[in-house]
Amino acid sequence: MRGVRGRAGCGHGEATGERADELLVLVAGGDQRAFEDLYALVSGPVYGLVRRVVRDPAQAEEVAQEVLLETWRQAARYDPGRGSALSWILTLAHRRAVDRVRSARAAGMREQREALRAGEPAFDQVAEEVEAGMEREWVRRCLRRLTDLQRQSVTLAYYDGYTYREVAERLSLPLGTVKTRMRDGLTRLRECLGGAV
């Protein structure tokens, strides 16, 4: 199964919602091709929502994959009369993301209690938060090094969950131009972020 991180998703337009409704009904009948299309349609919004809750990109990607697999397995439980397919899928994503955060917090608390009992120094949460803040600032600096068009394209696709085509429409540019700027921008980001390690 393809990864969800780094893949532009889709916006939440009416046409997207209607297409997702149609596809999820087909997926409930076991249609693998419909699932591939649904996956391509909703992977961006699912990852975007999970990323906002979980924060860690690797864990967000893992949770998004779990949600998409759950969508395949539970498609027959979807009731079109109770809401849109996209809302149903995003509800699954939100629940799974919140569960992951709660689980991580509980594990951290268990480790702290165990460390206290063993007389070991407790996990340094302040240092971890400082490091995370430094990483966010590094990403911001690297984004500022991109051209305006590269920065807009990357932000719309990877933070707001739009497809390349939707990014092109929002920026009133040809699709090929957006793809090129996106590729160039991601290459520059990768090079810049390589210096953060």
Side-chain angles (χ1 to χ4, degrees):
M1 182 171 280
R2 293 166 289 179
V4 294
R5 190 172 64 154
R7 174 176 171 73
C10 61
H12 302 270
E14 191 174 320
T16 298
E18 290 172 4
R19 181 71 178 134
D21 292 347
E22 295 166 5
L23 290 171
L24 190 55
V25 169
L26 294 172
V27 170
D31 187 329
Q32 290 182 347
R33 177 70 182 149
F35 179 68
E36 290 175 14
D37 292 344
L38 182 65
Y39 186 104
L41 192 67
V42 303
S43 61
V46 167
Y47 176 75
L49 177 106
V50 171
R51 177 75 169 84
R52 284 189 292 275
V53 175
V54 174
R55 303 218 184 262
D56 176 71
Q59 284 202 29
E61 185 173 347
E62 187 178 307
V63 171
Q65 284 287 0
E66 291 170 4
V67 168
L68 292 163
L69 282 172
E70 186 176 355
T71 299
W72 168 255
R73 292 183 187 129
Q74 303 293 330
R77 299 177 105 186
Y78 166 64
D79 178 3
R82 297 186 66 189
S84 74
L86 187 57
S87 294
W88 183 76
I89 294 167
L90 291 177
T91 298
L92 292 177
H94 187 261
R95 286 180 186 156
R96 184 67 66 112
V98 168
D99 287 348
R100 176 64 64 99
V101 169
R102 287 179 179 155
S103 175
R105 283 186 187 150
M109 290 174 68
R110 279 193 304 276
E111 288 175 12
Q112 284 182 342
R113 283 193 303 269
E114 194 58 40
L116 288 173
R117 271 185 254 161
E120 297 172 8
F123 166 74
D124 190 351
Q125 186 172 358
V126 172
E128 186 76 17
E129 289 174 6
V130 168
E131 185 177 328
M134 290 170 61
E135 288 173 0
R136 282 192 297 275
E137 181 54 34
W138 193 273
V139 170
R140 280 190 210 98
R141 281 188 204 149
C142 290
L143 279 170
R144 284 193 296 264
R145 292 182 183 179
L146 302 180
T147 67
D148 287 342
L149 183 55
Q150 289 171 341
R151 185 172 41 258
Q152 287 174 320
S153 299
V154 168
T155 301
L156 285 170
Y158 292 91
Y159 288 98
D160 296 337
Y162 290 99
T163 63
Y164 291 159
R165 184 171 309 284
E166 289 170 329
V167 170
E169 288 170 5
R170 288 181 69 86
L171 298 177
S172 301
L173 293 169
L175 179 60
T177 301
V178 167
K179 286 182 177 180
T180 300
R181 296 302 181 267
M182 190 94 62
R183 184 190 65 234
D184 294 346
L186 291 173
T187 300
R188 288 179 70 182
L189 270 178
R190 191 176 306 116
E191 290 168 359
C192 179
L193 291 171
V197 179

